[in-house]
Amino acid sequence: MDDALLLNVVLYLPLLGIALIVALPQGQDDRVRHLSFGVMLAQFVITAFLYLRFDPTVAGLQAQTNLPWIADWGVYYRIGLDGYNVLLVLLTAFLGPPVVAGAFSAIGKDVKLFYAMVFFIQFAMLGTFLAQDLLLFYIFWETMLIPMFLIIGIWGGERRIYATVKFVLYTAAGSILMLAALIYLVWSQYADSGNLSFAFADLFGTKLSLAEQGWLLAAFALSFAIKVPMVPLHTWLPDAHVEAPTTGSVILAGVLLKMGTYGFIKLGFPLFPEVSQLAMPAVMALAVISIVYGACLALVQTDIKKIIAYSSISHLGYVMLGLASLDLIGIQGAIIQMVSHGLTAAGLFLMVGMIYERCHTRELAAYGGLAKALPVYSVFFMILTLAAIGLPTTSGFTGEFLVLLGAFNAAWPQHLAGDSLPLFWAVVAVTGVVLGAMYMLWFAQRFLYGTTKVPHGPVADLNRREKLILAALLVPVFWIGLAPGEPLRKTEQAALHFQTLVAGPQATSTATALPPHLARRAAEATR
């Protein structure tokens, strides 16, 4: 079967899943659960096959589909895989089965509607990553709001309406400005070239004044920064995580937050390169503030969900730091960090949901000594904790190390030239690693050790389903940590493309610090 057709199968399988579970008679909740798991598993298998077939030496799109949609307006149905999205598409498909299986015992109300919404948001997230047309991207981007609104609003906690409305207001405000900006951008490109097109490739290089680029970047960046989220646009996230059901938190942390960082690397910075270069010092400052501020807030939380929620702000700050460095190593580290955070945060939120199902409280003070009471649970929890703080051999170490290496690699020449501010921010970013170890180890110490405290008496350790879910999540955590060469090769061309678009050909002056094959490719990309 053609790769382009297989990619469309991956995208539309969730819609088939919705049709299949809607067709089932009422009262067959177990069949709904197992059917949903089967569809998600099939989607992951096909996605993994496409990932293995992805050629890392090809700089452009692969498995692409390009069909007229609203052709008179220049709108086409364009989807495809490239180095920007291939790992994120794989991550989204990989998390599908654990998300579905993790909700087997947690969701007992409106089961058919719940799994229909999980499929719906899976479709929207994959569409956002795969879209290569700006209007198509925007439609998928906005579509994600609907199922997440319902997942939190129907199956969330006591303050779910407040959290849902706050989430929608924040994201909708940014999206409205992005819509206005994309219309202006497309019209400007049409006025300049006479070609009306929403294709990403056609919009790169649109001739705009510096002022126009500044306003348009601000509109796109606001929408993306809310989704990341970056400080000070982060306040919706803790409320959404705390009130969302476990599945909602896993989707939010595992994939949805990556939409913001993906938006920056795929569209925000490359569309407006001149003003992006001028804005990078401010982006770097906000990234480091997010790293430190998120870590400090995590240190003082008493709700175990909020600890992980604020840690997400800190971890995604590293992604923005890697992009702001405009260094090949930092850019690739940012992509790896997106995937790593998606795996570890998803695992930790699943484990919070597992203990909440047993004890019905998220207050950290209510727990203690779980290493004795629930030894298997504690082993998985400790491994994910160490991965989250970047222990060597785990994906967390690969992502953070490459980001920091890229930040120092870019900052040192500027320091020698008399500008020490980038080096200052790189040094401060290192403290985030220390703070991350502090809040996660403090969390683990109070949660797993000390006097045994288990709310509502003795509880059972992990069952076979839960062990399989967590064991599956650990496989890519150690794969990326022990053998990062494979995923780095998949993203190499995209990192070179991003650097060339935003920083220009002169950016390869930093290539002397790179491994030989990267230095050679960087030189070739700018000839």
Side-chain angles (χ1 to χ4, degrees), residues 183-193 206-208 212 216:
I183 293 172
Y184 186 93
L185 174 65
V186 171
W187 183 255
S188 298
Q189 193 269 345
Y190 173 67
D192 177 57
S193 67
T206 301
K207 294 180 181 178
L208 298 166
E212 287 175 315
L216 295 179

Side-chain angles (χ1 to χ4, degrees), residues 196-263:
L196 183 60
S197 174
F198 284 80
F200 293 168
D202 292 335
L203 295 174
F204 293 141
T206 301
K207 294 180 181 178
L208 298 166
S209 69
L210 201 61
E212 287 175 315
Q213 286 194 38
W215 285 109
L216 295 179
L217 176 61
F220 275 86
L222 179 65
S223 184
F224 297 150
I226 288 171
K227 202 72 119 208
V228 172
M230 295 179 70
V231 174
L233 303 170
H234 66 286
T235 58
W236 65 268
L237 181 66
D239 293 312
H241 269 308
V242 167
E243 300 305 324
T246 299
T247 300
S249 293
V250 173
I251 293 171
L252 266 173
V255 182
L256 209 62
L257 302 186
K258 313 306 176 295
M259 299 297 173
T261 49
Y262 175 76

Side-chain angles (χ1 to χ4, degrees), residues 429-445:
V430 176
T431 66
V433 178
V434 179
L435 290 171
M438 287 175 61
Y439 67 73
M440 289 305 295
L441 293 177
W442 166 81
F443 176 23
Q445 190 274 330

